[in-house]
Amino acid sequence: TRLLAASLPDLGAPDAAALMDWAFEARDRPERISIPSTGEEFLLRSVALDSSVTGIFLKTLDPEKAAIAAALTRTLIIAAGFLIIAALIVNLLSKAITRPILELVEGTESIAAGNLSTRTGIQTPDELRRLSQSFNLIFNLLWKTIRKRLNL
């Protein structure tokens, strides 16, 4: 039988052996244990994960350590939440920047392919809108030049 352990404190060989004994005795029910070398108390839960693997889960009963663990857990959850929100904001900002640039690229490629009726309709309140207006202005001047040459 193999032993799978999660959340175990640093244990010496005698403490680990005692823990394994407790794990097999307390299978599938919680049991309060005390580590012999440190006197630290835990709530032990031993669960058969399959026929050859047993999982051991310990939760400290020391109020200070429990408070620290709870604070750490809350901090990690809050940090994960902020990371998710930051990722969403970055995603939205990158789309807001790249979408108008892609529209300008498509307009340029369309003109290069011979579609002389191409215009961009970018309506952003920043430099990209100004770039789009400049693109349309340059194209209008190019179009006027082409028409003048064709009429000559």
Side-chain angles (χ1 to χ4, degrees):
T1 300
R2 291 185 305 160
L3 191 65
L4 176 68
S7 310
L8 291 179
D10 292 330
L11 299 175
D15 291 336
L19 183 63
M20 288 180 67
D21 290 340
W22 287 321
F24 292 114
E25 290 172 14
R27 189 172 299 236
D28 298 324
R29 70 178 196 283
E31 186 172 316
R32 187 181 187 126
I33 64 165
S34 178
I35 302 295
S37 63
T38 63
E40 192 172 359
E41 290 189 339
F42 291 91
L43 184 62
L44 175 136
R45 175 83 184 206
S46 172
V47 179
L49 300 176
D50 68 27
S51 62
S52 64
V53 178
T54 299
I56 296 178
F57 302 92
L58 293 177
K59 181 177 180 182
T60 185
L61 295 176
D62 180 356
E64 289 177 9
K65 288 187 179 182
I68 291 170
L72 180 60
T73 300
R74 280 191 302 274
T75 302
L76 290 174
I77 290 171
I78 290 169
F82 279 120
L83 284 174
I84 290 169
I85 291 169
L88 292 173
I89 291 171
V90 166
N91 186 29
L92 290 174
L93 288 175
S94 68
K95 285 182 181 179
I97 292 170
T98 58
R99 192 175 301 127
I101 292 172
L102 289 174
E103 188 176 333
L104 282 173
V105 168
E106 289 170 0
T108 304
E109 290 171 346
S110 178
I111 291 171
N115 183 359
L116 300 180
S117 63
T118 300
R119 300 290 186 273
T120 62
I122 297 172
Q123 297 297 321
T124 61
D126 56 9
E127 294 84 3
L128 292 173
R129 179 183 47 80
R130 290 178 47 206
L131 180 60
S132 173
Q133 290 170 343
S134 297
F135 175 87
N136 289 333
L137 179 64
I138 289 170
F139 182 75
N140 287 336
L141 292 173
L142 177 64
W143 181 244
K144 285 179 185 177
T145 303
I146 291 171
R147 282 195 322 210
K148 277 184 186 177
R149 289 195 177 179
L150 291 174
N151 289 335
L152 290 177

